[in-house]
Each structure stands twice: as C-alpha cells, then as structure tokens.
Amino acid sequence: MAIPTTFSILSLIFFSIFSSLTLAEDSHFFHKTISPTQQGLHKEKLSHLHFYFHDILGGPKPTAVNVAQANMTNKSPTGFGTVMLADDPLTFGPELDSKLVGKAQGIYAYAAQDQVGLLMVMNFAFTEGKYNGSTLSVLGRNTVFSAVRELPIVGGSGLFRFARGYALAKTHTIDLKILDAVVEYNVYVFHY
Ligand SMILES: *[C@@H]1O[C@H](CO)[C@@H](O)[C@H](O)[C@H]1NC(C)=O
Ligand SMILES: *[C@@H]1O[C@H](CO)[C@@H](O)[C@H](O)[C@H]1NC(C)=O
C-alpha cells in the first residue's frame, strides 16, 4: 500500500472543497445571466399616464407638511432650505373630489437660492385599475413658476418594474397666499 503523500492529501482536501462549492452553487450564487422572459418580461411598451396632483398646505387637512427649514432669521426669499413631506392625492380630474388614482408620497425640498426650485424625491403610488399597487419613482428638479417642468422617472415597481421616462408638470391652479396647488401631470414611461 502506498503511503499517502502530502500532495495526494492536499489534492483530496482541494477536491472535497471544490465539490462542496459546486453543490452549494445550486442554492447559493452571486450572479448569473438569465433570460428576460424567464422573469415575465416580454415586450417593452410605452405608457402615457395623465392625472392631477394636489398639494394642500392650508385648511384642516393638509397633505404636505413642513418637516425642516433653514434658520428663520436668515429667511431666503425663495424658501431655500425648506423641506416638506407630502402624501398628495393624485386624481383623474382637476377637482379634489374627482376619482382618486393614487398618492404622491415623498419629499420636496427648496433647493435653489435664485428662484423657487424644488428637488422632488417621490413615489407615485397608484391605487386604481391595473396599476393598483404599482409605483413610479420620480427624482427631479421642479422650478414651480416655469410653465412646464420636466422630471425624470427613474424607476418603478409592480407593473412598472424597469420603468424609465419623464413627467411633464404644468400648474393648473395655485393659491399664492397659502401655496395650495393643483398640478397637471403627463407621464411617459417605458416599461414591460
Ligand atoms: C440663526 O442665524 C443668526 C444670524 O446669523 C444667528 O445669530 C443665530 O445664532 C442662528 N440661530 C440658530 C438656531 O442657528
Ligand atoms: C387596490 O388594491 C388593494 C389591495 O389589494 C385593494 O384593497 C383595493 O380595493 C384595490 N383598489 C381598487 C380601486 O381596485
């Protein structure tokens, strides 16, 4: 009988580690290439969504609240440094009591010193029809006094997985005293 050499012992250890790694690969992996259809992703399509966004600051039931602001003694004429948190209704028509299609949930912050320019970081969480439960994520700049503002749609969930596109925001009505606003949104997104 041959006496096991150091080499053969090392090979045995090496191969047993190698085979256990191969077996483990069945349930654990770091990355692999898969087919889009296996994930239920067939043909990419372009959708156009249209709704009205209600940002209500006044009255008994505001939908956006101030959560932070810059030192008030240095108050900026453009609101720079103000941070708001919103849970704003999205409706079918411009009236608040029109059919609810979702909510715009997130943060908008006054991020410009020379004009009213918002940083918008929000999810449009839809609750109506086939898009009930699906969301679109917005990350953009909103110069609220421009006629039309373009905000990127950077992603989505549910039926909007892999979404990308843009939203065009146009002020429908604004109360300049309390800053309540109704904004018309046209959203164009590619998704599956
Ligand atoms: C606000 O700003 C003023 C003027 O710069 C300063 O004197 C004051 O200490 C600041 N207050 C706070 C709470 O930072
Ligand atoms: C949307 O989905 C939720 C949760 O599944 C359900 O409770 C609700 O009734 C649905 N709304 C509409 C308008 O279909």
Side-chain angles (χ1 to χ4, degrees):
M1 203 179 84
I3 297 161
T5 61
T6 310
F7 174 76
S8 66
I9 293 170
L10 282 178
S11 326
L12 196 68
I13 293 170
F14 174 78
F15 283 112
S16 58
I17 290 171
F18 183 79
S19 59
S20 67
L21 277 180
T22 314
L23 280 176
E25 214 163 286
D26 292 342
S27 50
H28 303 293
F29 62 88
F30 174 45
H31 60 81
K32 60 184 177 183
T33 301
I34 58 165
S35 91
T37 48
Q38 191 187 321
Q39 290 296 101
L41 304 171
H42 298 284
K43 206 167 144 41
E44 197 176 33
K45 55 181 176 282
L46 179 63
S47 292
H48 177 187
L49 293 101
H50 177 253
F51 48 82
Y52 291 84
F53 169 106
H54 300 260
D55 193 49
I56 306 162
L57 305 185
K61 226 178 148 240
T63 62
V65 294
N66 177 217
V67 292
Q69 61 288 309
N71 185 339
M72 296 306 277
T73 54
N74 300 321
K75 197 167 165 54
S76 156
T78 62
F80 180 63
T82 303
V83 181
M84 306 287 293
L85 194 64
D87 183 19
D88 286 348
L90 303 175
T91 60
F92 186 81
E95 299 79 25
L96 185 56
D97 61 0
S98 141
K99 193 182 188 65
L100 187 73
V101 299
K103 294 283 192 74
Q105 297 173 333
I107 291 169
Y108 63 88
Y110 288 71
Q113 290 184 284
D114 57 350
Q115 63 181 318
V116 180
L118 307 180
L119 162 70
M120 311 259 297
V121 185
M122 294 200 159
N123 293 310
F124 290 154
F126 298 103
T127 52
E128 181 52 37
K130 69 187 274 202
Y131 293 120
N132 185 8
S134 296
T135 68
L136 285 175
S137 298
V138 180
L139 174 60
R141 175 169 182 258
N142 186 354
T143 52
V144 299
F145 294 113
S146 302
V148 181
R149 292 84 72 186
E150 180 178 334
L151 308 166
I153 303 290
V154 297
S157 72
L159 292 176
F160 290 126
R161 281 178 182 175
F162 290 104
R164 66 202 191 288
Y166 64 97
L168 297 179
K170 193 173 165 208
T171 303
H172 178 74
T173 48
I174 187 163
D175 177 327
L176 286 174
K177 233 175 36 221
I178 47 179
L179 293 177
D180 279 7
V182 179
V183 182
E184 182 183 11
Y185 270 82
N186 278 288
V187 178
Y188 301 88
V189 276
F190 275 117
H191 62 106
Y192 288 91

